[in-house]
Amino acid sequence: PSILSADFTCLGKEVQTVEKAGADWIHVDVMDGHFVPNITMGPLIVEAVRRTTSLKVDVHLMIDRPERYVADFVSAGADYLSVQVEACVHLHRCIHQIKELGAKAGAVLNPATGLNTIDYLLEDLDFVLIMSVNPGFGGQKFIASSLDKIKELRKNIDQKNLSTLIQIDGGVNTDTIASIAAAGVDVFVAGSAIFNTEDYRKTIDRLRRRI
Ligand code: DX5
Ligand code: ZN
């Protein structure tokens, strides 16, 4: 679950409720008002989420020059940390910086960004996040061309015999998740599809059944 769509007046309770409802990781969307138009949360919230759950905390940085902040987010408790390839000039260095800090490192590709941007980095990545909406907001419509990108990435990873995880983020819901799973995704991020429903357990069960 992406907490971007959670009720921030009771964030701890929201996180605990999705944990009890069967979530595997908690996804935290960090936005800086530069790389994306929206501004959201920083290390302080990651640290609060860390204290409230035993689940893995997955931090998605939608910020310019993320290398400036990766150490802060790992210290705050990020288990998985991903940076946008478009925002990072020295991506290879940044990915290794994250791994040296002891977190799992991911590269994120916007819908218009090609897989070629990670051709020489795939072996080093713990996960690749394919954005299926333009980052910045929850509740947007799934961009269908991401399915071809996932299939191609799945093929590349399998051909090279790598254990790199494929993650998808944006517009994941009960209507879209089956075709996303069939394309070869390992990790599904869903914000509004979970937090905008009454019963998180029922929703997560339904999503899992579709997978
Ligand atoms: C979008 C964020 C997503 C967002 C997804 O920029 O990276 O994680 O929370 O929201 P939904 O699942 O509502 O599309
Ligand atoms: Zn995200």
Side-chain angles (χ1 to χ4, degrees):
S2 158
I3 58 166
L4 188 62
S5 292
D7 179 352
F8 274 74
T9 61
C10 51
L11 185 58
K13 194 172 138 250
E14 289 275 74
V15 170
Q16 284 159 12
T17 309
V18 284
E19 176 167 3
K20 281 197 207 101
D24 299 308
W25 301 1
I26 300 295
H27 184 83
V28 183
D29 287 304
V30 176
M31 307 187 187
D32 66 351
H34 290 274
F35 180 72
V36 288
N38 201 1
I39 300 178
T40 56
M41 41 204 146
L44 197 66
I45 300 281
V46 171
E47 196 265 323
V49 170
R50 171 73 294 151
R51 270 188 287 123
T52 203
T53 182
S54 57
L55 296 179
K56 298 288 184 206
V57 177
D58 168 36
V59 178
H60 173 193
L61 298 183
M62 284 158 276
I63 65 176
D64 275 336
R65 295 167 55 210
E67 64 279 1
R68 296 173 296 160
Y69 291 101
V70 293
D72 289 347
F73 282 100
V74 175
S75 316
D79 299 292
Y80 290 78
L81 186 59
S82 60
V83 296
Q84 296 270 161
V85 305
E86 306 84 2
C88 198
V89 179
H90 302 289
L91 183 61
H92 182 277
R93 179 188 290 151
C94 189
I95 292 297
H96 283 276
Q97 210 181 328
I98 296 170
K99 292 171 84 162
E100 277 156 25
L101 290 162
K104 301 282 186 198
V108 192
L109 274 63
N110 273 344
T113 302
L115 288 175
N116 61 308
T117 53
I118 51 168
D119 272 354
Y120 301 100
L121 194 62
L122 198 54
E123 282 83 356
D124 300 337
L125 294 169
D126 295 301
F127 65 113
V128 178
L129 168 48
I130 301 295
M131 287 307 297
S132 40
V133 298
N134 289 292
F137 304 94
Q140 301 183 80
K141 192 174 169 291
F142 182 80
I143 297 172
S145 62
S146 347
L147 292 175
D148 289 336
K149 205 192 271 186
I150 295 162
K151 286 177 197 158
E152 202 183 320
L153 178 59
R154 178 82 272 156
K155 219 169 63 194
N156 296 347
I157 289 172
D158 292 349
Q159 266 169 6
K160 292 185 174 168
N161 233 327
L162 299 172
S163 52
T164 319
L165 297 172
I166 304 179
Q167 185 179 40
I168 188 98
D169 185 8
V172 175
N173 57 43
T174 46
D175 294 330
T176 55
I177 202 164
S179 51
I180 296 168
V185 163
D186 304 293
V187 183
F188 305 81
V189 177
S192 53
I194 293 174
F195 286 106
N196 291 359
T197 60
E198 284 298 315
D199 187 330
Y200 301 160
R201 174 175 289 280
K202 267 194 194 142
T203 306
I204 291 174
D205 285 350
R206 202 172 295 142
L207 289 166
R208 282 194 194 284
R209 275 202 299 277
R210 300 276 156 95
I211 293 170

